[in-house]
Amino acid sequence: AFDWLGYHRLNTIYNWLDSLVAQHPEIVKPIIGGSSYEGRRIKGVRLSYKEGNPGIFIEGGIHAREWISPAVVTYILNELILSDDSRVRYMAESYDWYIFPVFNPDGYEYTHTTNRLWRKTRRPTGRGCYGADPNRNWNFHWAEGGVSRNPCSEIYAGDRPFSETETRTMSQYIDSIQSKIFSYIAFHSYSQLLLIPYGHSNERVSNYDDLFQIGNYSINALSKRYGTRYKVGNIVDIIYVASGGSMDWVRGTYNIPVTYTYELRDKGRYGFILPASQIIPTAKETLDSLVAMFEQAAKLG
Ligand code: 0X9
Ligand code: ZN
């Protein structure tokens, strides 16, 4: 059976998604959102209790080594289906959820078989090197800053926007549902931050003040359970310039109002190698923050 006591291989996650569809066929539908260079599927589900709710898109695992991201995303999906907490239930049933735990399946498998600290995709890119940074390859202010044009770099932007199968196919899927989406949330690790677009410049999005307020409310709720401290802010202000990220493309292209990127636990003690004993606590506090986020977002309209 599936659990959150350890990190799982891609097939275990995909089999679990299939089992959710089989057990809850009225509310959980399978989606193949895209595919990878090595031919794997980018599998997700749509969870809906009521046709026509506003959509929330959840992106996990775009960076291969950030294992806590798929783990937290699958935990949240499970709670959205099974929780009996009234606030979680209300949130679950008030939105249509598009949930993709592993955006970069080739990289994720590679971190399990060969190199635990692999970040990128796995396409041969030249000079004997592999992969582009899938969070630098989206077609919005592509390669303007915080990227490398060297195919051997960890932050290689790719040959051109959407040169990677993963970003190209997922962007096409997102385009096909964009009119239904009111929020896009990406999960990375680590640093304990809640990031507001954009990454290409310190330009603030039009509803920055609302996103900052909702974000603070959300990280305050996150801190209540175990005292975990997050910071909220504009990407360029609180980390670094990083253009071509998925959230920036979604926000810049479709003007989706509620867009955030989480950098989950921790602050560097274990970094990407976060012990599995921290999966459940990290997931619980993150779910607390999402409940607060969407309650507050609904109030602000
Ligand atoms: O550099 C990144 O892609 C993210 N940090 S990480 O350590 N997980 O690699 C930050 C993402 C910034 N997001 C956007 N520019 N949209
Ligand atoms: Zn990342």
Side-chain angles (χ1 to χ4, degrees):
F2 199 74
D3 63 46
W4 289 270
L5 305 173
Y7 296 105
H8 299 298
R9 296 289 291 265
L10 185 72
N11 268 331
T12 307
I13 295 173
Y14 281 2
N15 290 338
W16 177 72
L17 292 177
D18 293 344
S19 76
L20 294 179
V21 173
Q23 285 163 38
H24 310 277
E26 300 303 313
I27 53 170
V28 184
K29 311 282 185 205
I31 309 170
I32 305 301
S35 53
S36 71
Y37 174 76
E38 292 175 349
R40 295 185 176 87
R41 293 164 300 175
I42 301 177
K43 210 185 242 202
V45 296
R46 180 168 177 280
L47 169 66
S48 175
Y49 288 88
K50 182 172 141 284
E51 207 52 47
N53 275 330
I56 299 177
F57 193 104
I58 303 280
E59 170 202 300
I62 201 168
H63 285 144
R65 63 193 171 194
E66 299 167 11
W67 285 7
I68 189 63
S69 166
V72 162
V73 168
T74 52
Y75 184 95
I76 288 169
L77 168 57
N78 192 59
E79 290 297 307
L80 291 173
I81 299 170
L82 295 180
S83 172
D84 51 24
D85 176 272
S86 63
R87 291 168 73 201
V88 174
R89 286 259 49 78
Y90 183 79
M91 175 173 77
E93 294 173 22
S94 303
Y95 299 97
D96 290 346
W97 299 83
Y98 299 80
I99 301 186
F100 290 82
V102 188
F103 255 49
N104 176 7
D106 296 352
Y108 188 68
E109 276 302 276
Y110 194 71
T111 61
H112 283 269
T113 59
T114 312
N115 177 354
R116 175 64 184 85
L117 287 177
W118 192 256
R119 165 180 170 95
K120 300 189 285 177
T121 57
R122 288 295 303 162
R123 182 174 65 84
T125 46
R127 302 192 204 173
C129 290
Y130 289 82
D133 184 338
N135 209 36
R136 297 291 182 281
N137 191 237
W138 297 68
N139 190 15
F140 183 73
H141 293 268
W142 179 76
E144 276 182 18
V147 309
S148 172
R149 304 304 294 267
N150 173 354
C152 300
S153 165
E154 286 280 78
I155 52 170
Y156 179 49
D159 312 346
R160 57 186 179 278
F162 294 139
S163 57
E164 304 313 294
T165 310
E166 294 80 357
T167 55
R168 186 174 59 251
T169 56
M170 285 308 296
S171 72
Q172 288 162 353
Y173 174 70
I174 294 165
D175 184 73
S176 76
I177 56 159
Q178 57 88 10
S179 66
K180 302 175 176 167
I181 298 298
F182 122 98
S183 175
Y184 189 98
I185 313 282
F187 288 94
H188 288 249
S189 70
Y190 59 91
S191 288
Q192 296 175 196
L193 301 169
L194 185 58
L195 301 170
I196 299 170
Y198 292 108
H200 68 282
S201 80
N202 63 5
E203 171 192 346
R204 276 153 164 52
V205 288
S206 54
N207 64 340
Y208 178 85
D209 292 346
D210 282 352
L211 290 182
F212 188 74
Q213 197 203 311
I214 295 166
N216 273 305
Y217 192 82
S218 174
I219 63 162
N220 185 48
L222 186 151
S223 73
K224 292 272 156 67
R225 193 180 282 266
Y226 307 110
T228 309
R229 304 286 292 251
Y230 270 61
K231 253 176 73 175
V232 189
N234 202 55
I235 293 166
V236 171
D237 292 347
I238 69 171
I239 45 170
Y240 41 61
V241 173
S243 64
S246 55
M247 163 176 82
D248 298 11
W249 177 79
V250 168
R251 173 68 199 215
T253 307
Y254 303 116
N255 209 25
I256 306 296
V258 179
T259 43
Y260 291 102
T261 293
Y262 279 79
E263 295 283 355
L264 297 167
R265 288 195 197 182
D266 58 9
K267 287 173 71 71
R269 176 165 184 201
Y270 297 105
F272 302 118
I273 321 292
L274 193 71
S277 58
Q278 293 200 223
I279 296 171
I280 290 173
T282 304
K284 285 187 168 165
E285 70 193 7
T286 305
L287 181 59
D288 293 341
S289 77
L290 283 182
V291 169
M293 177 181 287
F294 290 113
E295 285 178 359
Q296 195 66 6
K299 274 186 208 154
L300 289 177

